[in-house]
Amino acid sequence: MQSKNLTTIILLAMLFGGILGAIFNLFFMETTFVSVFLVNNVFHVIGQVFIDSLKMLVVPLVFISLVCGTAALGDISKLGRLGGKALLFYIVTTALAITLALGLAILAGPGEGFNLTSAVPTEFIAAESPSLAQTIINMVPNNPIEAMANGDMLPLIVFSLLFGIAIVMAGESGKRVEKQFNDYNAIMMQMVNILMKLAPLGIFCLIAKTFALQGIDLIKPLLGYFIVVASALLLHGLISYSLLIKILSGLSVWKFFQKMRSVQVFAFSTASSNATIPVNVENAKGKLGVDNSIASFTIPLGATINMDGTAIMQGVATVFIANVYAINLTMTDYLTVIMTATLASIGTAGVPGVGLIMLAMVLNQVGLPVEGIALIIGVDRLLDMMRTAVNVTGDAAVTVIIANSEKALDKKVYNS
Ligand code: ASP
């Protein structure tokens, strides 16, 4: 199947899944056949199998393609420069995202006049979020197999980079191993291709299930909050990235978004940047023309430390909760929010719902009640899907910009 056709089918699967799910939610959730058999069994099982099969590829794909990429770079100083650039871009785009979100939230004032007594919050118990110091310590695996088994991205990246560097240093033996890794890499690509063919069914089931369970009733009382988050995501996702790509690389913005569509649908339906890594890496290499040495490094790194969409939700949520509890935030508080949310983004794992847990850290920093999170849990699943789509778009945008600046982007492929 041609990739263009496949993208169309994936988009249609998402659309029909959404429509069917919404119809089920409105009219048929009382019917056992629909709610128990279809939604909670058929859709749930197929959707979960699809997510698990994506996750299955993450560790081997990151390891193999990153080893190949680093070995191909052949120069440790280049690696340092790449890492530095990626880190800088990821931090700057996240800070930009949250500033935009705060600005919009302050203007729109979601949560003002919210009736706290009539709200029936789900209980929220804040989980312990890892400290920055611990995140840094955890970057070096004390056992790489354990890191792989747990799917811990940063230690896996560190180990793979070292392995790739050592291949370059090992001369003839290294060359032989590099050749083998390149073969494994080609095989991994085929595994991603197989999964892509199954994607329409998986995405249809995931979206249909979510829309069947997430009715509009959940959103209504929080409509203001929902709209502000969604608008900030849209603004950042479309305008900020377009400007960055245009100004910093001069590449066609239209081509970028056209080629990102299927990756965004994957992120939207799985709500997980991590699970989207295989598709995002292959898309960056195959469709955007980014060299493997860059894509295999910056995309997994971005999926782990770059969460622009998540930071946007956290910014709006902070203003919303402050408004609901009628607590005034000062300029210093806003700056603290920008800093903590940017740092929280680094420590947020690319899996569903973690953004909310890290929000506790942001709220704590400015002395807002963490229980406020309970108010927004109800609408978080849908927002999680949207912000994950923005998160992975940010990873790809930065990847394209870096690749272009390193002359490692095939413009013929990008513009094809
Ligand atoms: N689901 C998001 C991601 O995987 C993280 C979050 O905001 O909860 O990128």
Side-chain angles (χ1 to χ4, degrees):
M1 206 182 309
Q2 276 201 320
S3 73
K4 208 169 164 195
N5 284 343
L6 189 62
T7 307
T8 315
I9 296 174
I10 286 176
L11 287 171
L12 286 175
M14 182 178 87
L15 188 74
F16 286 128
I19 294 174
L20 187 74
I23 294 176
F24 279 180
N25 181 276
L26 288 173
F27 307 110
F28 297 108
M29 282 315 266
E30 308 284 291
T31 323
T32 320
F33 174 74
V34 170
S35 64
V36 176
F37 180 69
L38 281 184
V39 175
N40 283 320
N41 279 294
V42 179
F43 293 170
H44 172 68
V45 170
I46 299 180
Q48 203 50 47
V49 166
F50 172 63
I51 294 194
D52 286 346
S53 44
L54 270 175
K55 285 196 197 152
M56 167 182 82
L57 296 189
V58 174
V59 171
L61 185 127
V62 170
F63 177 56
I64 293 170
S65 63
L66 196 46
V67 168
C68 289
T70 320
L73 267 183
D75 178 356
I76 301 173
S77 66
K78 236 185 188 172
L79 197 66
R81 194 177 64 221
L82 265 184
K85 267 191 196 175
L87 208 62
L88 180 78
F89 272 118
Y90 283 148
I91 291 178
V92 171
T93 48
T94 307
L96 188 79
I98 183 153
T99 311
L100 183 108
L102 282 177
L104 212 65
I106 293 168
L107 275 179
E112 276 165 12
F114 187 86
N115 188 351
L116 198 53
T117 45
S118 71
V120 212
T122 333
E123 205 182 333
F124 180 81
I125 300 162
E128 195 65 30
S129 45
S131 69
L132 185 63
Q134 200 52 45
T135 309
I136 294 172
I137 294 172
N138 290 347
M139 272 170 60
V140 180
N142 48 33
N143 178 347
I145 306 294
E146 188 189 357
M148 288 185 190
N150 294 333
D152 292 338
M153 275 303 130
L154 284 181
L156 174 60
I157 290 175
V158 169
F159 180 71
S160 313
L161 289 176
L162 276 175
F163 201 93
I165 293 169
I167 283 185
V168 179
M169 293 164 68
E172 268 313 304
S173 316
K175 285 235 162 60
R176 281 197 298 273
V177 174
E178 183 182 354
K179 211 164 155 287
Q180 289 236 342
F181 264 83
N182 282 330
D183 290 343
Y184 286 132
N185 205 13
I187 294 170
M188 285 313 299
M189 222 173 99
Q190 291 313 320
M191 284 190 85
V192 176
N193 280 341
I194 297 174
L195 249 183
M196 286 296 278
K197 301 220 158 81
L198 301 175
L201 179 65
I203 286 172
F204 173 82
C205 291
L206 278 178
I207 300 274
K209 181 190 161 204
T210 311
F211 278 67
L213 297 177
Q214 303 273 319
I216 195 85
D217 286 349
L218 277 175
I219 300 179
K220 255 191 233 151
L222 291 159
L223 202 60
Y225 165 73
F226 191 90
I227 290 176
V228 180
V229 178
S231 316
L233 287 174
L234 205 67
L235 269 180
H236 187 70
L238 287 179
I239 312 227
S240 308
Y241 295 143
S242 298
L243 287 176
L244 284 173
I245 292 176
K246 201 77 234 160
I247 295 169
L248 297 175
S249 69
L251 293 164
S252 156
V253 168
W254 166 246
K255 283 281 173 207
F256 175 78
F257 282 105
Q258 194 188 21
K259 294 183 173 192
M260 278 305 290
R261 274 195 310 223
S262 53
V263 179
Q264 289 167 332
V265 174
F266 269 82
F268 183 78
S269 49
T270 58
S272 168
S273 301
N274 270 7
T276 314
I277 292 175
V279 188
N280 208 0
V281 170
E282 290 312 327
N283 186 67
K285 292 196 284 188
K287 288 198 193 163
L288 294 168
V290 177
D291 193 80
N292 180 47
S293 59
I294 300 204
S296 63
F297 178 32
T298 53
I299 300 256
L301 183 69
T304 317
I305 68 164
N306 181 50
M307 311 267 166
D308 296 357
T310 304
I312 286 176
M313 174 281 286
Q314 291 174 340
V316 180
T318 308
V319 175
F320 173 78
I321 290 168
N323 284 342
V324 168
Y325 288 92
I327 297 170
N328 263 339
L329 292 177
T330 62
M331 199 58 202
T332 323
D333 288 335
Y334 288 126
L335 288 177
T336 312
V337 171
I338 294 177
M339 254 177 56
T340 356
T342 306
L343 288 180
S345 155
I346 297 177
T348 306
V351 291
V354 185
L356 262 201
I357 296 172
M358 296 306 271
L359 175 61
M361 176 173 141
V362 180
L363 295 179
N364 269 333
Q365 287 297 318
V366 284
L368 286 172
V370 173
E371 312 82 77
I373 296 178
L375 297 173
I376 51 176
I377 287 184
V379 286
D380 197 62
R381 178 65 196 186
L382 267 184
L383 290 175
D384 194 5
M385 295 160 83
M386 295 187 207
R387 67 179 181 254
T388 308
V390 172
N391 289 346
V392 301
T393 309
D395 303 338
V398 168
T399 297
V400 160
I401 293 170
I402 295 181
N404 187 60
S405 75
E406 293 284 323
K407 311 227 171 336
L409 185 125
D410 187 336
K411 291 204 175 136
K412 260 204 214 117
V413 176
Y414 185 94
N415 291 316
S416 64

